[in-house]
Amino acid sequence: MHKYYLNHLQELEAEAIFVIREVVAQFDKPGILFSGGKDSIVVTHLAKKAFWPAKIPMPLIHIDTGHNFPETMAFRDNLVKELGVQLIVGSVEESLRKGRVKEETGINASRNALQITTLLDAIEEHKIDAAIGGARRDEEKARAKERFFSHRDDFGQWDPKNQRPELWNIFNGRKQMGEHFRVFPISNWTEMDVWNYIKEQNIAIPSLYFAHQRQVIYRDNTWLPLSEFVTLRQGESVEEKQIRFRTLGDITITGGIESDADTLEKIVAEVAAVRSTERGNRGDDKRSETSMEDRKKLGYF
Amino acid sequence: MQLLRFTTAGSVDDGKSTLIGRLLYDSKSIFEDQLAAVQLSSERKGLGHVDLSLLTDGLRAEREQGITIDVAYRYFATPKRKFIIADTPGHIQYTRNMVTGASTANLALILVDARNGIVEQTCRHSFIASLLQIPHLIVCINKMDLVDYAEDRFNQIVEEYTEFASKLDVTDIRYIPISALNGDNVVNRSENMDWYQGATLLNTLETIHIASDYNHIDGRFPVQTIIRPHSDEYHDYRGYAGRVAGGIFRPGDKVTVLPSGLSSKIKSIDTFGGAVEEAFPPMSVSITLEDDIDISRGDMIVKQNNQPHVSQEVDMMVCWLNNRPMQQGAKYYLRHTSREVRSVIKEVVYKIDINTLHRMEGDKEIKMNDIARVRLRTTQPLMLDAYRKNRSTGSLILVDESTNETVAAGMVVDSFNN
Ligand SMILES: Nc1nc2c(ncn2[C@@H]2O[C@H](COP(=O)(O)OP(=O)(O)O)[C@@H](O)[C@H]2O)c(=O)[nH]1
C-alpha cells in the first residue's frame, strides 16, 4: 500500500475546509453560527485553518437565549478576541421585549422554539446569505438527510422533500433574493470524530465539558444544573454531583451526566463506552418523535 | 484508520434497511436510547422481534408511507475503519437519489433477494454504479435462510449476475451469501453455509483496498478562493486555496494555469499546520507560486507536462434529476470543479434504457431519472478530464437558470481527439 492516503480525521478535515472555502467563495455575506458548544468550536477552528494566514473572513453569530452558562459567554468573548473576528449577537430577550415572540408557559417551557425567530431576524437584519452551522448527520434522524448546502426559502424554511440533489463535491449555492443557505461542513462527522479531533488538535473548549462539582437537580432522567432560571418542583432537591455536559445549550434544558472524565483522554474513552446519544439529555428533542424535524422545517439550526 | 463511503441499493423489500440495521447493531454502533425507541416501535407494530430496519427509518413522510424517499447518511465505525453509508431508495422514480449517493461512494452494496434472483432493479442499480464509476461492487445475496442456505441457488445467481456484468464497466465485483435478518455472513460467519469460504460482509468492507481509488497521476488543482492576509507579517502573501483533484504536487513543480496558459513554479504548499512537501487528493491546501500571475476562482493549476482537455464543447452522459424535462436549446448554468459557466444543450445523441442498457437513438425527450448522452456548448472553456480517469475533473452539474435547482449530473465522456 502506498503512502498517498489520508486517515479518516484528515479526510473529514479536508472536506470541511473545502466546504467552508466554498461558502466564502460563493456567498456575499456568510457567517458562522456560534453556540459555544463543541461542534461550533470545531467549525470555527476549521475556518481558522481554511483561511490561514488570513483571518476568518466572516463574523461569528451567536443566538443568545438569555439562559446561558456563564462559562460559555466568557469562552465566546475570549475566542472572538483571539481570532479578531466580528461578533453578531441575536438576543431572544430582545425579541421578547419587541414582542416578536412570546415566552412559553407551563411546566416544560423553554426558549428553544423562540430562538428560531431571533435567528431568522438576525439573518435578515445582517443580510446573512449563508449561515454555517455545526450540525452533524449522526445527531438525529431528521438530520441524516440534510445536505451540506441546505437551501432555505425566503421564510427561512426547510423543505425536506424538495432538497437539491448534491453530487460529488460540487455545491450549488445559487438562490433568489431573500433566500439563504445553511451550510454544515461537519455533516459527516460523528460525536466520536469531533472528540478525537478536539483531542488531536488540542482545541480549547469550555470547562463545562469536563467533569466538575456542580449543584444539580434530578429532572426528566438527567441532571439539570441549578441556575437562577430554575425553580424547584415538588419533591426535587439540590444535590452536589461530579458531572459534565455532553452538549451545551440553553442552561434551563441542558442536562449533565455523572462522570469523572476530567481530561480529553477520559472524555474520548467515556464517549466510546457510553451507550446513549448525546441529544438524549436534551429536553427539547423528547417532546415528540418528530420534534427535531418539525423545528428544522421552521428554520431551526 | 481510513474512511470508506458506500451506497446501498436494492428493490423494495430486498432487506436493505434490515441489513444496515444489522451492520449497525452487530458492530455495536447503536445507542441504547435508539435501540429502546426501535424496540418500542416494534412492539407497537405487534412484531415478535426487534425490527432492525426501523433504525434507518427517517423523515415523517417515510414513516407514514413506510418507505425511504431520499438519500440518508448513516455512520458507523469499527476499530479498522470508519464507514459512511449513503442509503438510497430502490424505486424507479428515484434513480436520481441513487446517482446522488453513488457520486461520492468508493463502493456499492447491491442487494438481491435469493428467491427472486436478478431482477430489473438489480440491473438498473448495477448500471448506475458502473456509470458513476464506483470502484468496488459487492453483490449481497440476501434471505439465504428462505432458500435453505442452498449453495446451488447462490451459484446460479452469481452466474446470472456475472453474465450481465460483462456489459458493465466495473472490475472489482464480489459476491456474498447472507441473511440480514439472522445475521449470517454479515458481521459473523454463517454456521449455515460452510460451503462459503469467502470473507463476511463486514470483513470485506474493512479490508478492501481503497487507497488507489483517487487519481494520483494527473496533477489537477482547481482554485477555490485566493487568500490575501493584508497583515504586516504576510504582506505580499497570495495563496491559492483549493483541494487537490488529481496527481501529486510538490514545491518546485512546473505548473500551468488554465485557461490562461501562463506558467510558473510552485513556491510552497501551505496548511495551517505548516508547509508540506507533497499534496495529493483529497487534501485541502494553499499553493503559492514563484511568479505573480493573475489567477482567480475557477482557474485550474495543472502540471505543465500533463494537461486536461480545454474545451467549450462537452460530450457527456447525463442523469436528469428534475421534474422539468431537459429543453433542447435551453441554457443552463454549468458547474465544473470551482468553475461556473453558461451552457446550451446542442444535441441529445441517445438515451439509454437502463433496464436493457440499449441505446434509444430516436427518443430525445429527457425526463426525470433518464440517462442520456448529450453534447453541449459552453460560453467559457472548461478544463476537462474523462470521468473514467478522474471523478472530480470529469464531473459536472447543470443548474436551471430560473429556479436555481440542480437539474442534471454530467459525466464527461472520453472522446477527446488529442
Ligand atoms: N427471512 C428473511 N427475511 C428478511 C431478510 N432480510 C430482510 N428480511 C425481511 O424482508 C422484509 C423487508 O426488509 P427491509 O429491510 O424492510 O427491506 P428494504 O425495503 O429493502 O429496506 C422485512 O420483513 C424483513 O424482515 C433475511 O435475510 N431473511
Side-chain angles (χ1 to χ4, degrees):
Chain A
M1 191 146 82
H2 58 69
K3 60 176 175 166
Y4 297 112
Y5 68 90
L6 301 180
N7 71 32
H8 81 288
L9 284 181
Q10 290 168 328
E11 188 170 334
L12 291 173
E13 180 191 68
E15 176 178 84
I17 288 176
F18 175 82
V19 172
I20 293 169
R21 286 170 168 176
E22 274 307 286
V23 173
V24 166
Q26 289 195 33
F27 294 91
D28 294 329
K29 195 136 189 262
I32 297 175
L33 294 172
F34 186 84
S35 69
K38 66 180 191 315
D39 300 316
S40 61
I41 291 170
V42 164
V43 168
T44 307
H45 178 81
L46 289 161
K48 180 168 84 176
K49 293 184 107 170
F51 300 101
W52 181 91
K55 284 181 187 163
I56 298 175
M58 56 190 149
L60 300 189
I61 305 163
H62 181 223
I63 301 307
D64 180 354
T65 58
H67 290 164
N68 297 297
F69 287 93
E71 291 93 331
T72 311
M73 301 303 271
F75 184 92
R76 176 197 79 183
D77 294 340
N78 253 326
L79 186 67
V80 165
K81 212 155 90 203
E82 186 197 307
L83 295 171
V85 296
Q86 189 204 345
L87 174 71
I88 293 174
V89 178
S91 159
V92 173
E93 300 270 346
E94 207 175 297
S95 303
L96 284 165
R97 252 197 320 275
K98 285 189 188 154
R100 294 279 298 136
V101 290
K102 259 173 62 193
E103 194 92 79
E104 285 185 10
T105 51
I107 191 132
N108 281 318
S110 88
R111 288 185 168 176
N112 222 303
L114 311 190
Q115 287 184 80
I116 299 174
T117 303
T118 308
L119 171 63
L120 293 177
D121 286 355
I123 284 172
E124 196 166 317
E125 183 191 335
H126 296 274
K127 306 209 159 28
I128 299 294
D129 56 359
I132 300 179
R136 308 185 320 265
R137 289 173 180 155
D138 84 320
E139 269 177 80
E140 215 278 338
K141 267 189 205 172
R143 295 213 194 269
K145 356 204 107 170
E146 184 63 276
R147 305 294 196 254
F148 276 91
F149 272 43
S150 180
H151 178 257
R152 302 302 154 108
D153 65 17
D154 48 358
F155 299 101
Q157 298 190 340
W158 182 58
D159 179 2
K161 272 193 144 173
N162 190 22
Q163 300 194 77
R164 294 180 185 176
E166 213 160 66
L167 298 111
W168 298 289
N169 50 14
I170 310 176
F171 297 107
N172 174 7
R174 284 207 157 263
K175 58 177 176 8
Q176 317 280 354
M177 278 285 284
E179 299 176 344
H180 76 277
F181 273 78
R182 300 288 172 82
V183 181
F184 306 106
I186 61 169
S187 286
N188 278 331
W189 300 42
T190 60
E191 186 186 16
M192 200 63 210
D193 295 329
V194 169
W195 281 115
N196 274 318
Y197 187 73
I198 290 170
K199 180 170 138 235
E200 191 187 280
Q201 302 270 312
N202 207 5
I203 302 171
I205 51 171
S207 55
L208 299 159
Y209 282 112
F210 299 97
H212 55 284
Q213 289 290 322
R214 197 171 193 107
Q215 291 195 307
V216 286
I217 302 152
Y218 196 70
R219 182 180 291 175
D220 297 336
N221 299 318
T222 184
W223 293 104
L224 210 58
L226 184 65
S227 68
E228 56 183 303
F229 311 107
V230 286
T231 24
L232 284 191
R233 295 179 189 162
Q234 184 91 45
E236 285 179 345
S237 62
V238 177
E239 294 176 60
E240 174 104 4
K241 289 275 174 192
Q242 170 95 348
I243 67 149
R244 66 174 205 88
F245 296 92
R246 291 178 73 191
T247 64
L248 297 183
D250 186 323
I251 194 168
T252 62
I253 50 169
T254 303
I257 52 167
E258 278 190 88
S259 165
D260 52 15
D262 55 3
T263 63
L264 281 174
E265 283 74 16
K266 287 188 200 166
I267 291 175
V268 169
E270 186 190 277
V271 171
V274 131
R275 305 300 311 146
S276 80
T277 57
E278 56 191 326
R279 295 196 76 95
N281 293 64
R282 302 258 305 229
D284 42 337
D285 288 338
K286 285 188 185 154
R287 289 187 184 181
S288 94
E289 221 193 316
T290 53
S291 57
M292 172 68 97
E293 187 181 331
D294 294 339
R295 270 180 288 137
K296 272 181 66 75
K297 280 186 186 162
L298 293 173
Y300 191 66
F301 298 98
Chain B
M1 188 155 99
Q2 278 176 309
L3 187 60
L4 176 87
R5 301 172 199 247
F6 68 94
T7 68
T8 52
S11 326
V12 183
D13 285 345
D14 278 353
K16 194 161 56 73
S17 313
T18 308
L19 177 63
I20 296 173
R22 170 63 63 188
L23 276 171
L24 299 178
Y25 182 75
D26 281 0
S27 65
K28 305 198 167 47
S29 309
I30 311 279
F31 293 113
E32 266 168 17
D33 50 347
Q34 291 173 321
L35 194 60
V38 166
Q39 267 158 350
L40 198 70
S41 303
S42 301
E43 272 166 38
R44 237 185 257 148
K45 285 182 158 182
L47 297 176
H49 62 277
V50 178
D51 186 354
L52 291 177
S53 73
L54 295 176
L55 282 167
T56 62
D57 179 33
L59 300 187
R60 186 197 292 272
E62 292 164 88
R63 264 193 301 281
E64 281 161 7
Q65 296 168 27
I67 50 162
T68 327
I69 53 163
D70 200 311
V71 189
Y73 295 87
R74 323 272 167 206
Y75 303 83
F76 74 102
T78 68
K80 296 203 178 101
R81 267 190 186 155
K82 170 181 163 117
F83 299 96
I84 301 178
I85 312 176
D87 181 14
T88 58
H91 297 272
I92 180 154
Q93 62 267 45
Y94 295 114
T95 299
R96 65 172 230 164
N97 295 331
M98 188 162 166
V99 168
T100 304
S103 70
T104 50
N106 310 82
L107 183 147
L109 276 190
I110 306 257
L111 254 87
V112 175
D113 186 324
R115 295 170 304 176
N116 306 335
I118 314 291
V119 296
E120 227 173 65
Q121 304 242 21
T122 323
C123 301
R124 188 180 314 141
H125 295 144
S126 306
F127 171 63
I128 290 170
S130 152
L131 183 72
L132 272 289
Q133 288 286 301
I134 301 182
H136 315 279
L137 229 154
I138 301 181
V139 182
C140 288
I141 294 148
N142 188 33
K143 306 199 185 179
M144 286 302 291
D145 55 304
L146 297 182
V147 295
D148 295 329
Y149 298 104
E151 184 177 11
D152 284 358
R153 183 64 191 139
F154 175 73
N155 287 339
Q156 217 174 4
I157 293 170
V158 170
E159 201 174 306
E160 239 179 278
Y161 192 89
T162 312
E163 148 118 36
F164 160 75
S166 62
K167 290 188 265 180
L168 300 176
D169 188 12
V170 191
T171 42
D172 184 15
I173 306 181
R174 299 154 199 237
Y175 303 90
I176 307 178
I178 63 168
S179 166
L181 192 67
N182 302 333
D184 295 78
N185 287 336
V186 178
V187 170
N188 303 311
R189 193 154 259 302
S190 171
E191 287 170 11
N192 300 306
M193 292 179 275
D194 46 15
W195 47 265
Y196 174 74
Q197 300 301 319
T200 61
L201 175 60
L202 185 67
N203 190 252
T204 310
L205 293 172
E206 283 180 330
T207 54
I208 206 159
H209 178 73
I210 52 168
S212 305
D213 290 356
Y214 284 106
N215 177 320
H216 290 104
I217 297 161
D218 313 300
R220 306 285 185 260
F221 188 81
V223 175
Q224 275 187 283
T225 179
I226 320 287
I227 295 176
R228 303 221 51 183
H230 302 293
S231 64
D232 292 344
E233 195 183 347
Y234 294 97
H235 192 73
D236 293 320
Y237 187 92
R238 210 179 154 77
Y240 304 106
R243 198 170 185 194
V244 182
I248 296 157
F249 288 90
R250 299 182 179 88
D253 281 351
K254 286 187 183 151
V255 294
T256 299
V257 180
L258 295 173
S260 73
L262 296 170
S263 293
S264 184
K265 242 191 204 166
I266 294 182
K267 185 156 119 195
S268 67
I269 302 175
D270 298 335
T271 71
F272 177 83
V276 295
E277 283 310 304
E278 289 179 315
F280 50 88
M283 284 171 73
S284 285
V285 297
S286 298
I287 289 180
T288 64
L289 299 179
E290 295 286 358
D291 306 282
D292 199 4
I293 49 183
D294 188 24
I295 299 181
S296 45
R297 172 173 169 85
D299 290 353
M300 192 185 283
I301 297 174
V302 305
K303 296 278 191 79
Q304 223 166 65
N305 56 4
N306 173 335
Q307 302 197 7
H309 186 71
V310 181
S311 172
Q312 284 178 244
E313 304 275 343
V314 188
D315 185 358
M316 62 180 189
M317 299 300 298
V318 296
C319 174
W320 202 254
L321 309 169
N322 202 264
N323 271 320
R324 282 173 57 181
M326 175 196 280
Q327 310 292 323
Q328 286 233 38
K331 298 187 179 69
Y332 296 95
Y333 292 117
L334 184 159
R335 289 188 170 223
H336 169 257
T337 66
S338 55
R339 200 167 175 77
E340 184 179 271
V341 299
R342 295 181 73 201
S343 70
V344 57
I345 309 279
K346 300 298 283 186
E347 183 191 358
V348 176
V349 187
Y350 55 79
K351 221 166 103 171
I352 287 195
D353 178 332
I354 58 173
N355 297 317
T356 60
L357 307 190
H358 285 148
R359 292 178 182 184
M360 303 185 284
E361 315 261 350
D363 185 357
K364 306 272 158 116
E365 164 120 15
I366 309 299
K367 299 185 297 294
M368 170 104 110
N369 296 308
D370 281 346
I371 289 170
R373 179 143 172 187
V374 168
R375 288 212 183 90
L376 52 74
R377 198 177 159 74
T378 60
T379 50
Q380 301 288 321
L382 296 174
M383 288 71 83
L384 302 168
D385 287 301
Y387 185 74
R388 272 193 110 251
K389 267 172 79 179
N390 192 319
R391 291 172 84 190
S392 302
T393 54
S395 55
L396 56 89
I397 60 169
L398 299 183
V399 175
D400 188 294
E401 289 191 327
S402 57
T403 64
N404 291 326
E405 286 173 341
T406 302
V407 293
M411 288 140 284
V412 178
V413 172
D414 195 355
S415 63
F416 317 132
N417 42 1
N418 55 349

